[in-house]
Amino acid sequence: MPEESIDHIDFNDLNKRAISQPIVNHIYTADPSAHVFNGKIYIYPSHDVDAGEAFDDLGSHFAMEDYHVISMDNVDSESIDHGVALHVDDVAWAEKQMWAPDAAHKDGKYYLYFPAKAYDGIFRIGVAVGDSPTGPFKPQPEAIKGSFSIDPAVFEDDDGSYYMYFGGLWGGQLQRWRNGTFNKEELDNPTAHIPEDNEPALLPFVAKMTDDLLEFEEKPKEIEIVDEQGNLLLSGDNERRFFEAAWLHKHNGKYYFSYSTGDTHFICYAVGDSPYGPFKYGGRILNPVVGWTSHHSVCKVENQWYLFYHDSSLSEGVTHLRSIKVAKITHNKDGSIQTLDPYKG
Ligand code: FUB
């Protein structure tokens, strides 16, 4: 929900109408990546703090420093905060801005994937490894080779292959990589290098992971998101084009790529037959929440699909102080997903 409308919100009323309440309220959390590992829910969120940074369209006010892992026995049970699982000070290559993370599990090891700004001001994606889903996680000394931009999401396919999806516009810097190297021109301008409205929109990336889950096995490839006619969505199609918050889930043999539209605040999805796409635009999963950002994951818990998402209702609209939430979602028989309105409950 755009910031300018926050002044008019009655938060008591909004919280009554909300379809769910914050999963934790002793800290601010966002960007929840949820997984079921060994029969239990583990959520890997960003840990929001107010570091006093000025608001800007590069997201400088999202100045997070560490990650906490949250666990739950089921979506209605008490949530447990397992404390600091990784701190930026322990990551040799990272300077600041520990943004939306994700995690994966393989052969008894747990992998925390995270974007952070390196000392040269460029976002990279790192990985840290632990013996427990709740950490602590030991970071690799370098970022993943060939990684760039933000919002990693790691999907395990039925054949045991793992893929990382990533990318984010504006502060997430995806638009600076259009020619394969980081474009330093107009560094303070979040919309520099974005294609014209009538050009194809910027696309997120996918890369298969190596067997040890520490590196990319291949050069990241762009993921095509197309309309009903098979044409790439256009850059000016702000209500449907990809902005950030990539996620992949598989339902009835189809691959669902979901993402945030950023400046129009929707969580949308597109459907394909391969983890590499192309993905055909399918519709909206979540209408705008309070706060500028919207970021989610889709996770099956005991045969029911859930949307883990966030909003800024607990902080009464402070866009960088968010809270993670969860709500049921429904896939229709034709494969479409029913749209949730976060405040109609
Ligand atoms: O939490 C920081 C950034 O805000 C994330 O990386 C984006 O997806 C947005 O939620």
Side-chain angles (χ1 to χ4, degrees), residues 10 59 90 109 126 145 164 178 185-186 201 227 241 250 284 298 320 325 331:
D10 171 347
D90 297 324
K109 294 271 183 209
K145 280 189 283 305
M164 181 186 289
R178 289 178 69 177
E185 283 169 28
E186 294 187 72
D227 64 16
R241 63 90 173 90
K250 199 173 181 181
R284 295 173 182 164
V298 177
H320 62 292
K325 297 182 157 190
H331 295 75

PDB file of all heavy atoms in Angstrom, residues 10 59 90 109 126 145 164 178 185-186 201 227 241 250 284 298 320 325 331:
ATOM      1  N   ASP A  10      -6.827   3.685  10.023  1.00  0.00           N
ATOM      2  CA  ASP A  10      -7.154   3.427  11.427  1.00  0.00           C
ATOM      3  C   ASP A  10      -6.599   2.026  11.725  1.00  0.00           C
ATOM      4  O   ASP A  10      -7.175   1.020  11.307  1.00  0.00           O
ATOM      5  CB  ASP A  10      -8.682   3.481  11.586  1.00  0.00           C
ATOM      6  CG  ASP A  10      -9.125   3.014  12.967  1.00  0.00           C
ATOM      7  OD1 ASP A  10      -8.306   2.429  13.699  1.00  0.00           O
ATOM      8  OD2 ASP A  10     -10.304   3.219  13.280  1.00  0.00           O
ATOM      9  N   GLY A  59      16.477   2.118  -1.090  1.00  0.00           N
ATOM     10  CA  GLY A  59      16.268   1.222   0.050  1.00  0.00           C
ATOM     11  C   GLY A  59      17.371   1.320   1.098  1.00  0.00           C
ATOM     12  O   GLY A  59      17.602   0.362   1.847  1.00  0.00           O
ATOM     13  N   ASP A  90      30.314 -11.217  10.672  1.00  0.00           N
ATOM     14  CA  ASP A  90      30.993 -12.511  10.496  1.00  0.00           C
ATOM     15  C   ASP A  90      31.164 -12.890   9.023  1.00  0.00           C
ATOM     16  O   ASP A  90      31.664 -13.982   8.722  1.00  0.00           O
ATOM     17  CB  ASP A  90      30.198 -13.613  11.222  1.00  0.00           C
ATOM     18  CG  ASP A  90      30.156 -13.338  12.716  1.00  0.00           C
ATOM     19  OD1 ASP A  90      31.179 -12.832  13.237  1.00  0.00           O
ATOM     20  OD2 ASP A  90      29.111 -13.578  13.341  1.00  0.00           O
ATOM     21  N   LYS A 109      22.851 -31.158   6.068  1.00  0.00           N
ATOM     22  CA  LYS A 109      23.408 -29.797   6.204  1.00  0.00           C
ATOM     23  C   LYS A 109      22.344 -28.776   5.807  1.00  0.00           C
ATOM     24  O   LYS A 109      21.471 -29.064   4.976  1.00  0.00           O
ATOM     25  CB  LYS A 109      24.611 -29.607   5.268  1.00  0.00           C
ATOM     26  CG  LYS A 109      25.807 -30.468   5.618  1.00  0.00           C
ATOM     27  CD  LYS A 109      26.695 -29.757   6.603  1.00  0.00           C
ATOM     28  CE  LYS A 109      27.931 -30.576   6.914  1.00  0.00           C
ATOM     29  NZ  LYS A 109      28.443 -30.319   8.264  1.00  0.00           N
ATOM     30  N   GLY A 126      25.484 -14.505  -0.881  1.00  0.00           N
ATOM     31  CA  GLY A 126      26.401 -15.388  -0.166  1.00  0.00           C
ATOM     32  C   GLY A 126      25.679 -16.606   0.367  1.00  0.00           C
ATOM     33  O   GLY A 126      24.444 -16.706   0.324  1.00  0.00           O
ATOM     34  N   LYS A 145      30.281 -17.171  -6.723  1.00  0.00           N
ATOM     35  CA  LYS A 145      30.873 -16.622  -7.960  1.00  0.00           C
ATOM     36  C   LYS A 145      29.786 -16.407  -9.024  1.00  0.00           C
ATOM     37  O   LYS A 145      28.953 -17.299  -9.245  1.00  0.00           O
ATOM     38  CB  LYS A 145      31.918 -17.597  -8.529  1.00  0.00           C
ATOM     39  CG  LYS A 145      33.260 -17.518  -7.829  1.00  0.00           C
ATOM     40  CD  LYS A 145      34.331 -18.324  -8.540  1.00  0.00           C
ATOM     41  CE  LYS A 145      34.256 -19.823  -8.315  1.00  0.00           C
ATOM     42  NZ  LYS A 145      34.248 -20.317  -6.948  1.00  0.00           N
ATOM     43  N   MET A 164      18.642 -21.682  -7.924  1.00  0.00           N
ATOM     44  CA  MET A 164      18.463 -20.394  -7.241  1.00  0.00           C
ATOM     45  C   MET A 164      17.828 -19.388  -8.199  1.00  0.00           C
ATOM     46  O   MET A 164      18.295 -19.203  -9.332  1.00  0.00           O
ATOM     47  CB  MET A 164      19.773 -19.810  -6.737  1.00  0.00           C
ATOM     48  CG  MET A 164      19.540 -18.474  -6.000  1.00  0.00           C
ATOM     49  SD  MET A 164      21.044 -17.639  -5.510  1.00  0.00           S
ATOM     50  CE  MET A 164      21.600 -18.695  -4.195  1.00  0.00           C
ATOM     51  N   ARG A 178      22.504  -5.072 -17.124  1.00  0.00           N
ATOM     52  CA  ARG A 178      21.910  -5.367 -18.435  1.00  0.00           C
ATOM     53  C   ARG A 178      22.946  -5.812 -19.452  1.00  0.00           C
ATOM     54  O   ARG A 178      22.629  -6.564 -20.362  1.00  0.00           O
ATOM     55  CB  ARG A 178      21.143  -4.147 -18.960  1.00  0.00           C
ATOM     56  CG  ARG A 178      19.877  -3.904 -18.181  1.00  0.00           C
ATOM     57  CD  ARG A 178      19.151  -2.678 -18.658  1.00  0.00           C
ATOM     58  NE  ARG A 178      18.577  -2.847 -19.985  1.00  0.00           N
ATOM     59  CZ  ARG A 178      17.854  -1.922 -20.574  1.00  0.00           C
ATOM     60  NH1 ARG A 178      17.616  -0.773 -19.960  1.00  0.00           N
ATOM     61  NH2 ARG A 178      17.370  -2.126 -21.788  1.00  0.00           N
ATOM     62  N   GLU A 185      27.191   4.087 -13.740  1.00  0.00           N
ATOM     63  CA  GLU A 185      26.708   5.437 -14.055  1.00  0.00           C
ATOM     64  C   GLU A 185      25.457   5.784 -13.261  1.00  0.00           C
ATOM     65  O   GLU A 185      24.584   4.938 -13.074  1.00  0.00           O
ATOM     66  CB  GLU A 185      26.399   5.546 -15.553  1.00  0.00           C
ATOM     67  CG  GLU A 185      27.663   5.697 -16.365  1.00  0.00           C
ATOM     68  CD  GLU A 185      27.391   5.548 -17.848  1.00  0.00           C
ATOM     69  OE1 GLU A 185      26.264   5.853 -18.283  1.00  0.00           O
ATOM     70  OE2 GLU A 185      28.310   5.093 -18.542  1.00  0.00           O
ATOM     71  N   GLU A 186      25.375   7.030 -12.788  1.00  0.00           N
ATOM     72  CA  GLU A 186      24.213   7.545 -12.026  1.00  0.00           C
ATOM     73  C   GLU A 186      23.877   6.636 -10.836  1.00  0.00           C
ATOM     74  O   GLU A 186      22.738   6.202 -10.666  1.00  0.00           O
ATOM     75  CB  GLU A 186      22.976   7.650 -12.926  1.00  0.00           C
ATOM     76  CG  GLU A 186      23.080   8.660 -14.027  1.00  0.00           C
ATOM     77  CD  GLU A 186      21.735   8.794 -14.742  1.00  0.00           C
ATOM     78  OE1 GLU A 186      20.796   9.358 -14.151  1.00  0.00           O
ATOM     79  OE2 GLU A 186      21.640   8.285 -15.861  1.00  0.00           O
ATOM     80  N   ALA A 201      10.258  -5.915 -20.120  1.00  0.00           N
ATOM     81  CA  ALA A 201      10.667  -5.660 -18.732  1.00  0.00           C
ATOM     82  C   ALA A 201      11.947  -6.426 -18.414  1.00  0.00           C
ATOM     83  O   ALA A 201      12.260  -7.437 -19.052  1.00  0.00           O
ATOM     84  CB  ALA A 201       9.558  -6.119 -17.789  1.00  0.00           C
ATOM     85  N   ASP A 227       2.866 -12.988 -21.497  1.00  0.00           N
ATOM     86  CA  ASP A 227       1.420 -12.819 -21.382  1.00  0.00           C
ATOM     87  C   ASP A 227       0.689 -13.968 -22.096  1.00  0.00           C
ATOM     88  O   ASP A 227       1.329 -14.896 -22.603  1.00  0.00           O
ATOM     89  CB  ASP A 227       0.987 -11.438 -21.908  1.00  0.00           C
ATOM     90  CG  ASP A 227       1.276 -11.274 -23.399  1.00  0.00           C
ATOM     91  OD1 ASP A 227       1.528 -12.296 -24.086  1.00  0.00           O
ATOM     92  OD2 ASP A 227       1.245 -10.136 -23.886  1.00  0.00           O
ATOM     93  N   ARG A 241       4.662  -6.811 -14.231  1.00  0.00           N
ATOM     94  CA  ARG A 241       6.059  -7.181 -14.495  1.00  0.00           C
ATOM     95  C   ARG A 241       6.791  -7.469 -13.169  1.00  0.00           C
ATOM     96  O   ARG A 241       6.451  -6.997 -12.115  1.00  0.00           O
ATOM     97  CB  ARG A 241       6.767  -6.103 -15.322  1.00  0.00           C
ATOM     98  CG  ARG A 241       6.889  -4.735 -14.678  1.00  0.00           C
ATOM     99  CD  ARG A 241       8.120  -4.551 -13.886  1.00  0.00           C
ATOM    100  NE  ARG A 241       8.291  -3.177 -13.425  1.00  0.00           N
ATOM    101  CZ  ARG A 241       7.828  -2.706 -12.294  1.00  0.00           C
ATOM    102  NH1 ARG A 241       7.094  -3.479 -11.487  1.00  0.00           N
ATOM    103  NH2 ARG A 241       8.078  -1.450 -11.927  1.00  0.00           N
ATOM    104  N   LYS A 250       6.050 -25.886  -6.705  1.00  0.00           N
ATOM    105  CA  LYS A 250       5.558 -26.811  -7.722  1.00  0.00           C
ATOM    106  C   LYS A 250       4.249 -27.389  -7.227  1.00  0.00           C
ATOM    107  O   LYS A 250       4.162 -27.853  -6.080  1.00  0.00           O
ATOM    108  CB  LYS A 250       6.593 -27.918  -7.912  1.00  0.00           C
ATOM    109  CG  LYS A 250       6.463 -28.688  -9.192  1.00  0.00           C
ATOM    110  CD  LYS A 250       7.651 -29.632  -9.328  1.00  0.00           C
ATOM    111  CE  LYS A 250       7.578 -30.423 -10.607  1.00  0.00           C
ATOM    112  NZ  LYS A 250       8.712 -31.344 -10.725  1.00  0.00           N
ATOM    113  N   ARG A 284      -2.826 -12.539  -9.555  1.00  0.00           N
ATOM    114  CA  ARG A 284      -2.317 -12.024  -8.276  1.00  0.00           C
ATOM    115  C   ARG A 284      -2.557 -13.028  -7.156  1.00  0.00           C
ATOM    116  O   ARG A 284      -3.640 -13.624  -7.089  1.00  0.00           O
ATOM    117  CB  ARG A 284      -3.038 -10.729  -7.909  1.00  0.00           C
ATOM    118  CG  ARG A 284      -2.743  -9.626  -8.883  1.00  0.00           C
ATOM    119  CD  ARG A 284      -3.593  -8.401  -8.600  1.00  0.00           C
ATOM    120  NE  ARG A 284      -3.294  -7.386  -9.599  1.00  0.00           N
ATOM    121  CZ  ARG A 284      -4.056  -6.329  -9.839  1.00  0.00           C
ATOM    122  NH1 ARG A 284      -5.177  -6.138  -9.153  1.00  0.00           N
ATOM    123  NH2 ARG A 284      -3.704  -5.467 -10.763  1.00  0.00           N
ATOM    124  N   VAL A 298       5.818 -19.380  -0.638  1.00  0.00           N
ATOM    125  CA  VAL A 298       4.664 -20.282  -0.720  1.00  0.00           C
ATOM    126  C   VAL A 298       5.158 -21.638  -0.245  1.00  0.00           C
ATOM    127  O   VAL A 298       6.148 -22.160  -0.770  1.00  0.00           O
ATOM    128  CB  VAL A 298       4.147 -20.370  -2.171  1.00  0.00           C
ATOM    129  CG1 VAL A 298       2.992 -21.371  -2.267  1.00  0.00           C
ATOM    130  CG2 VAL A 298       3.696 -19.000  -2.664  1.00  0.00           C
ATOM    131  N   HIS A 320      10.008   0.144   6.718  1.00  0.00           N
ATOM    132  CA  HIS A 320      11.157  -0.763   6.930  1.00  0.00           C
ATOM    133  C   HIS A 320      11.070  -1.484   8.279  1.00  0.00           C
ATOM    134  O   HIS A 320      12.038  -2.109   8.697  1.00  0.00           O
ATOM    135  CB  HIS A 320      12.476   0.000   6.797  1.00  0.00           C
ATOM    136  CG  HIS A 320      12.642   1.084   7.817  1.00  0.00           C
ATOM    137  ND1 HIS A 320      11.873   2.209   7.840  1.00  0.00           N
ATOM    138  CD2 HIS A 320      13.494   1.199   8.850  1.00  0.00           C
ATOM    139  CE1 HIS A 320      12.243   2.980   8.841  1.00  0.00           C
ATOM    140  NE2 HIS A 320      13.218   2.378   9.480  1.00  0.00           N
ATOM    141  N   LYS A 325       3.759 -12.807   8.500  1.00  0.00           N
ATOM    142  CA  LYS A 325       2.420 -13.344   8.722  1.00  0.00           C
ATOM    143  C   LYS A 325       2.236 -14.580   7.852  1.00  0.00           C
ATOM    144  O   LYS A 325       3.045 -14.826   6.944  1.00  0.00           O
ATOM    145  CB  LYS A 325       1.371 -12.293   8.332  1.00  0.00           C
ATOM    146  CG  LYS A 325       1.425 -11.018   9.187  1.00  0.00           C
ATOM    147  CD  LYS A 325       0.336 -10.055   8.773  1.00  0.00           C
ATOM    148  CE  LYS A 325      -0.001  -9.090   9.900  1.00  0.00           C
ATOM    149  NZ  LYS A 325      -1.207  -8.306   9.616  1.00  0.00           N
ATOM    150  N   HIS A 331      -5.253 -23.217  -4.628  1.00  0.00           N
ATOM    151  CA  HIS A 331      -5.119 -23.392  -6.079  1.00  0.00           C
ATOM    152  C   HIS A 331      -6.466 -23.904  -6.582  1.00  0.00           C
ATOM    153  O   HIS A 331      -6.983 -24.908  -6.073  1.00  0.00           O
ATOM    154  CB  HIS A 331      -4.060 -24.438  -6.410  1.00  0.00           C
ATOM    155  CG  HIS A 331      -2.660 -24.060  -5.995  1.00  0.00           C
ATOM    156  ND1 HIS A 331      -2.221 -24.098  -4.694  1.00  0.00           N
ATOM    157  CD2 HIS A 331      -1.604 -23.642  -6.735  1.00  0.00           C
ATOM    158  CE1 HIS A 331      -0.955 -23.723  -4.652  1.00  0.00           C
ATOM    159  NE2 HIS A 331      -0.554 -23.437  -5.870  1.00  0.00           N
TER     160      HIS A 331
END
